[in-house]
Amino acid sequence: MLPLDNYIPYLLNRAGARIAQSFSDEMRALGTTLQAWRVLAALRDRDGPRVSELSDRTSIEISTLSRVLDGMETQGLIARRRAADDGRVVTLHVAPAGRRLTDRIVPIAERYERVAVTGLSSSETETLKQLLRRVYANMDGLGAP
């Protein structure tokens, strides 16, 4: 029988849950959420995606993401716009208040990454990132439940 503390899905979840809980506490103190941060970070990397693209990028289900986006729009953090080439398509954009909040959060996010990889060389850190991306992509092999 596989010991729990040697089971990769458990180890990934355990590390992620610990980071997410602490990070969520810090986001709450800033008046935002971990999910809103994911949205802002994704839009910082690439402004103007559709909701479905943003859902894939942030790993937030569309129904949940829609509620998050509603709240962020009310707070003035993001804006929804109709695509110029297709008026039926809505794209998402960071508003000035969202940029200011993102600028406040980035140093916190960088600190979390630094702490998480303490004791790893830069080469090991890059390898870890590559392996985690591969593990994520490998899960496509399971197909839909």
Side-chain angles (χ1 to χ4, degrees):
M1 181 169 185
L2 180 67
L4 187 60
D5 65 353
N6 202 36
Y7 180 57
I8 290 174
Y10 167 75
L11 294 170
L12 289 170
N13 185 337
R14 186 171 185 226
R18 187 163 189 190
I19 293 167
Q21 182 58 55
S22 295
F23 197 79
S24 290
D25 292 344
E26 291 206 41
M27 293 304 96
R28 197 170 12 268
L30 292 176
T32 194
T33 65
L34 174 59
Q35 291 172 325
W37 160 243
R38 285 184 190 166
V39 168
L40 290 171
L43 293 177
R44 179 176 178 253
D45 291 343
R46 184 176 162 271
D47 197 48
R50 297 176 182 192
V51 174
S52 60
E53 295 165 6
L54 189 61
S55 174
D56 290 341
R57 178 109 168 113
T58 60
S59 297
I60 302 172
E61 290 194 24
I62 288 182
S63 60
T64 302
L65 181 59
S66 292
R67 288 190 301 274
V68 170
L69 295 173
D70 289 344
M72 293 178 75
E73 189 172 34
T74 299
Q75 292 178 303
L77 301 175
I78 63 153
R80 291 178 168 122
R81 295 187 198 131
R82 297 279 173 198
D85 60 337
D86 185 345
R88 298 169 297 175
V89 173
V90 174
T91 58
L92 302 162
H93 305 271
V94 180
R99 275 195 273 299
R100 288 190 299 274
L101 181 58
T102 301
D103 290 344
R104 290 180 64 195
I105 296 172
V106 166
I108 297 167
E110 289 171 339
R111 179 172 51 91
Y112 271 76
E113 182 174 81
R114 272 194 315 276
V115 169
V117 299
T118 297
L120 299 180
S121 69
S122 59
S123 173
E124 289 170 323
T125 299
E126 282 309 308
T127 299
L128 175 61
K129 290 176 182 182
Q130 290 171 1
L131 292 172
L132 290 171
R133 285 185 204 103
R134 187 179 313 157
V135 167
Y136 182 84
N138 286 348
M139 295 311 296
D140 289 345
L142 281 179

